[in-house]
């Protein structure tokens, strides 16, 4: 038992910290927000170290309910980084947001921590029940986060929408889990894998389809993407950044684990689902984004589009493909966090946030540095070399070509040209159009520093990371393929 | 390890590009000029140090820093010549933009320097993926150059340029991934010697064709070029016509022919058919243009078709002709765009009808414009002649009908270029504004004189340019020979012997 507890050290650290901080927040009130934020980030850093360097080595805990392996460590590292950034950027945003009384409520970092624990549980789950518990913890905290600006109508709407549709998705997922349990007699991934190996019964197939449908909702893949633009638009920007990065990584990693560890022997059955969803996501994410005028909505479609590309990497169902998805996620969170950081700098003279794309007009002349950074992120999201966003797309399609699915790779990569159009539109607005009203000053050095770091990583210098990133993601992917 | 001259050539403009962003407009201009001149100097050293009889690949550098692919550089004679073209044109482009570009000078210079890095990178890359990255990355600076400093319709033109070429290239990427999986290496020299199964070659060829044909550009995917040229600033047009189009031709000669010889032979008529249409159609379209830049853009389409017929003639004359055509077209069309830029700067219109009688007002200008016009027509003694003549000889040996149709392009070329020249330079001066135009300034002279000298040098003594690539062309001919399509026009060594049984008649003697 003690050894099992030690394996869950990252979750323990975060849980104990969040509970303790909850008490602090309850008694000290919003004045304590600065300290709570700092301690939360410190807890995330400690948890990241605990995940990367587990004191007792990797292993399986609680009779297979929980797994600590290279895969979960990789995913958790990304999740914790994204969560940390979401906490760091919040105070400045809420300070300026209208109707917030000028301060961030102290519960914000704690809710992020709780959601992060759930996300971490999801990627470490070795059993459908752990998965579900983690997912619900993550979701419940998220619903509150989405409506965190409670006097803002859009934020409230966003939270409600997320809750209703999220509950529906949980229901679908739970129904799938119950079918799988009913027809295989187990909820453990290993047991399901053994049962599926002897051929798929109709009931098991139904279970599989429902599980994938529920998970597709969580990763916002077409046709279960409808909630994304509304939720992303309405939620406070730092929360949107958290949804688009930490939660996305968690959900995609969870999908990888379920697809490979539990249902790997039925890959023929889910491959069609994944291919359809990947193609539909890249096409819809590209086409629907073209008409958007709100940059947060545009990034919501961009995230749908990117999930589609990541899903292409799952199609082969081998270590090569999984490692390409992990690399995709790593680069994706840098690009997305960077874009959201740039959006946080969009604010008018009084400091109110601006979200219209047209407000970016001529930004390259008013704020050349910010414009250059956002242009780098946009070209990178579009996957244009020499920016680093090209590399994960390269790996994903390489994994497809490696198993002979080059026609699919051809179609998939052609859809990336649709996506390129709207990323170019942002660059065009910033560089070709006449300057609009200038944005207010942004003295926040932390934000600026984070933007600079992000831009450097996705710049051509990022290619120097290929070696370590490739080796690490491959080691993580191998953890899913025993033997 | 010897001095990594190619890496330095890539690094100098890249660092200068970053530096330009932090300088005043004046400082950026001087830094850009200095960086491009340094690169020109390095290029000269490269050429001087190149051993025509030495190894096929020289100045090789290899560093596996990127894991899946390597920082592998190296050049053969063909790449050397194209790098020389790039580094020669770059200082001219910078100087041509000295006064013409007034807004956002540091960014402009940075974009051009970045472009130079990427162009040299394309020609020097010895790793397929490095090549792809350089090839594709060129879209970003060019998109910005057209979009920020272009004419009235610049936004449409920049989108069209970007998306058109991107769609072509991504298909090529999938083919590259397949090839690297199949051959187990991403090194271009090794892939050039790898025999892909013939049935796969057709698909691979078509995938590469999608990219290179757009870049070239070949009819019917040429439509982005007139838009891009017309809207781009003068120096942008020079670089576009001078070097970027050559990437397509270089791609054919580096990838399509040596890697897929069977498919190249099989799709002979596809390429030749499109080229024949391009020569005649683009020339006829050029004939009716009223916009000078558009006219030259269509002439580029026609001239680049000479490159493709030379390439797919599969013989030494054709291949040498096509490389010479690329070099001469790079110089001449670049020079013509400069000439248009010179009078555009004075009158701010590209309408041919607004000009006239420049021979009286701008005699020096008229002289140089005449030289470049003649070069474009293909007058013997200018660079244009060598390329067109060799390409047509090669084409004739491959198929006499192709040569017949394409030769009409020379006549049509003379027609539209002379017609342009006559309308602009001869006749009466139409307005006071035209009459007030000053002749070439010292700066403008400094731009056109080196180009004029190069055009004459290449026309009078082409051996300087042919010598470095003779061996490489020979290797290429030997590589594609097994798929050589039987031509219909040979010298009959033995009268009476059936043509199909006389393989000795098409040897590789020059």
């Amino acid at each position: 038992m003690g050894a099992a507890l030690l394996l869950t050290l990252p979750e323990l650290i975060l849980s104990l910290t969040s509970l303790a901080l909850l008490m602090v927040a309850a008694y000290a009130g919003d004045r304590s927000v600065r300290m709570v934020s700092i301690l939360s980030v410190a807890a995330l850093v400690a948890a990241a170290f605990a995940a990367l360097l587990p004191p007792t080595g990797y292993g399986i805990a609680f009779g297979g309910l929980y797994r600590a392996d290279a895969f979960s460590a990789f995913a958790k590292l990304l999740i914790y980084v994204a969560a940390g950034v979401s906490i760091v950027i919040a105070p400045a945003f809420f300070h300026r947001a209208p109707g917030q009384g000028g301060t961030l409520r102290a519960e914000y970092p704690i809710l992020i921590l709780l959601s992060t624990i759930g996300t971490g549980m999801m990627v470490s789950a070795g059993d459908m029940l752990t998965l579900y518990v983690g997912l619900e913890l993550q979701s419940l905290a998220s619903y509150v986060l989405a409506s965190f600006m409670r006097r803002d109508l859009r934020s409230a709407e966003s939270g409600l929408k997320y809750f209703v549709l999220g509950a529906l998705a949980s229901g679908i997922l739970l129904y799938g889990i119950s079918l799988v349990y009913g027809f295989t007699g187990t909820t453990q991934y290993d047991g399901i894998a053994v049962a599926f190996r002897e051929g798929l019964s109709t009931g098991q197939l139904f279970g599989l389809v429902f599980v994938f449908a529920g998970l597709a909702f969580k990763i916002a893949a077409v046709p279960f993407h409808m909630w994304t633009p509304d939720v992303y638009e309405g939620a406070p920007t730092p929360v949107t950044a958290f949804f688009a990065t930490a939660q996305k990584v968690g959900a995609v990693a969870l999908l990888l684990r379920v697809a490979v560890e539990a249902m790997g022997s039925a890959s023929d059955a889910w491959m069609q689902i994944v291919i359809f969803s990947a193609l539909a996501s890249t096409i819809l994410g590209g086409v629907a984004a073209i008409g958007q005028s709100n940059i947060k909505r545009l990034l919501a479609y961009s995230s749908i589009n990117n999930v589609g590309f990541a899903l292409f990497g799952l199609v082969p169902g081998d270590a090569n493909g999984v490692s390409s998805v992990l690399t995709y996620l790593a680069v994706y969170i840098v690009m997305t966090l960077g874009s959201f950081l740039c959006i946080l700098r969009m604010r008018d003279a009084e400091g109110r946030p601006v979200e219209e794309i047209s407000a970016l007009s001529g930004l390259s002349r008013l704020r050349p540095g910010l414009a250059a950074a956002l242009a780098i992120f946009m070209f990178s999201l579009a996957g244009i070399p020499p920016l680093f966003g090209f590399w994960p797309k390269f790996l994903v399609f390489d994994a497809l070509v490696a198993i002979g699915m080059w026609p699919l790779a051809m179609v998939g990569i052609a859809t990336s040209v649709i996506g390129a159009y709207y990323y170019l539109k942002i660059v065009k607005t910033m560089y070709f159009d006449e300057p609009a009203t200038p944005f207010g000053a942004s003295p926040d050095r932390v934000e600026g520093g984070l933007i600079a770091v992000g831009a450097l990583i996705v710049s051509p210098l990022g290619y120097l990371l290929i070696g370590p990133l490739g080796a690490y993601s491959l080691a993580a992917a191998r953890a899913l393929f025993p033997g | 390890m010897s001095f990594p001259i190619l890496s330095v050539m890539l690094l100098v403009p890249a660092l200068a590009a970053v530096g330009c962003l932090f300088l005043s407009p004046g400082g950026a201009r001087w830094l850009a000029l200095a960086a491009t001149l340094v690169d020109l100097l390095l290029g000269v050293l490269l050429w001087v140090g190149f051993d025509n009889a030495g190894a096929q690949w020289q100045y090789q550098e290899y560093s596996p820093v990127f894991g899946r692919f390597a920082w592998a550089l190296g050049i053969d004679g063909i790449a050397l010549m194209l790098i020389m073209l790039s580094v020669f044109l770059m200082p001219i482009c910078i100087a041509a933009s000295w006064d013409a570009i007034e807004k956002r000078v540091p960014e402009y210079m940075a974009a051009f320097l970045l472009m130079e890095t990427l162009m040299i990178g394309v020609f020097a890359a010895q790793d397929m993926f490095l090549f792809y990255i350089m090839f594709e990355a060129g879209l970003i600076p060019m998109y910005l150059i057209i979009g920020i400093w272009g004419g009235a319709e610049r936004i449409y033109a920049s989108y069209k340029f970007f998306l058109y070429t991107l769609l072509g290239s991504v298909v090529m990427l999938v083919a590259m991934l397949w090839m690297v999986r199949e051959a187990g290496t991403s090194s271009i020299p090794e892939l050039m010697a790898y025999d892909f199964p013939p049935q796969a070659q057709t698909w691979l060829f078509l995938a590469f064709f999608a990219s290179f044909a757009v870049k070239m550009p070949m009819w019917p995917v040429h439509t982005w070029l007139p838009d891009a040229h017309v809207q781009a600033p003068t120096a942008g047009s020079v670089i576009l016509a001078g070097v970027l189009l050559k990437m397509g031709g270089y791609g054919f000669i580096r990838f399509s022919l040596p890697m897929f010889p069977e498919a190249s032979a099989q799709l002979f008529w596809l390429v030749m058919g499109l080229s024949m249409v391009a020569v005649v159609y683009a020339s006829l379209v050029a004939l009716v243009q009223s916009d000078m830049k558009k006219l030259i853009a269509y002439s580029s389409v026609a001239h680049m078709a000479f490159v493709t017929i030379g390439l797919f003639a599969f013989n030494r004359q054709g291949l040498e002709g096509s490389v010479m055509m690329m070099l001469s077209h790079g110089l001449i069309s670049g020079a013509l765009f400069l000439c248009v830029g010179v009078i555009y700067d004075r009158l701010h219109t590209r309408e041919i009808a607004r000009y006239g009688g420049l021979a009286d007002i701008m005699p020096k200008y008229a002289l140089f414009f005449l030289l470049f016009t003649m070069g474009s027509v293909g007058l013997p003694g200018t660079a244009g002649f060598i390329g067109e003549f060799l390409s047509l000889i090669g084409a004739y040996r491959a198929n006499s009908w192709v040569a017949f149709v394409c030769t009409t392009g020379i006549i049509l070329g003379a027609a539209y270029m002379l017609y342009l020249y006559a309308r602009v330079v001869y006749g009466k001066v139409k307005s006071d504004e035209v009459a007030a135009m000053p002749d070439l300034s010292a700066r403008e002279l400094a731009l056109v004189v080196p180009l004029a000298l190069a055009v004459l040098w290449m026309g009078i003594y082409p051996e300087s340019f042919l010598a470095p690539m003779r061996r490489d062309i020979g290797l290429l001919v030997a590589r594609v020979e097994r798929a050589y399509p039987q031509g219909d026009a040979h010298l009959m060594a033995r009268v009476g012997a059936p043509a199909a049984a006389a393989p000795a008649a098409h040897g590789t003697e020059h």
Side-chain angles (χ1 to χ4, degrees), chain A residues 107-130:
Chain A
E107 288 85 0
Y108 175 85
I110 299 165
L111 282 167
I112 293 266
L113 276 191
L114 288 171
S115 187
T116 307
I117 299 165
T119 319
M121 286 302 280
M122 282 157 57
V123 301
S124 270
D127 187 293
M128 289 290 183
L129 289 177
T130 330

Side-chain angles (χ1 to χ4, degrees), chain B residues 70-127:
Chain B
W71 179 260
L73 302 175
I75 51 168
D76 64 352
I78 301 169
L80 171 74
M81 283 296 114
L82 289 165
I83 289 178
M84 285 311 299
L85 178 68
S86 318
V87 294
F88 177 71
L89 285 176
M90 270 323 279
I92 295 177
C93 286
I94 300 290
S97 321
W98 207 263
D99 296 328
I101 301 296
E102 287 157 355
K103 60 170 188 176
R104 305 166 83 178
V105 178
E107 286 130 303
Y108 180 87
M109 295 299 166
F112 263 84
L113 290 166
L114 201 58
M115 204 67 229
E116 177 168 29
T117 303
L118 298 171
M119 289 182 315
I120 299 173
V122 163
F123 297 131
Q126 275 209 321
D127 186 288

Side-chain angles (χ1 to χ4, degrees), chain B residues 155-200:
Chain B
I155 290 171
Y156 171 74
S158 62
Y159 272 118
K160 194 167 177 181
F161 164 78
F162 196 102
L163 296 175
Y164 232 91
T165 32
L166 180 65
L167 185 59
S169 314
V170 292
V171 177
M172 176 172 78
L173 179 63
V174 175
M176 286 182 166
L177 291 170
W178 191 89
M179 287 163 69
V180 170
R181 286 271 162 203
E182 166 82 12
T185 173
S186 59
S187 150
I188 290 175
E190 285 175 42
L191 283 165
M192 282 168 74
Y194 186 86
D195 294 317
F196 290 98
Q199 60 274 30

Side-chain angles (χ1 to χ4, degrees), chain B residues 310-331:
Chain B
L311 287 173
F312 286 83
F314 285 82
N315 52 43
R316 175 175 281 277
Q317 287 86 342
L319 288 166
E320 287 189 345
S322 62
V323 181
M324 287 304 283
M325 192 71 205
M326 288 199 264
L327 297 176
S328 75
H329 177 263
L331 295 173

Side-chain angles (χ1 to χ4, degrees), chain B residues 148 373 510:
Chain B
I148 300 179
T373 303
H510 187 49

Side-chain angles (χ1 to χ4, degrees), chain B residues 489-503:
Chain B
H490 312 281
L491 294 173
M492 303 293 263
R494 282 160 290 144
V495 178

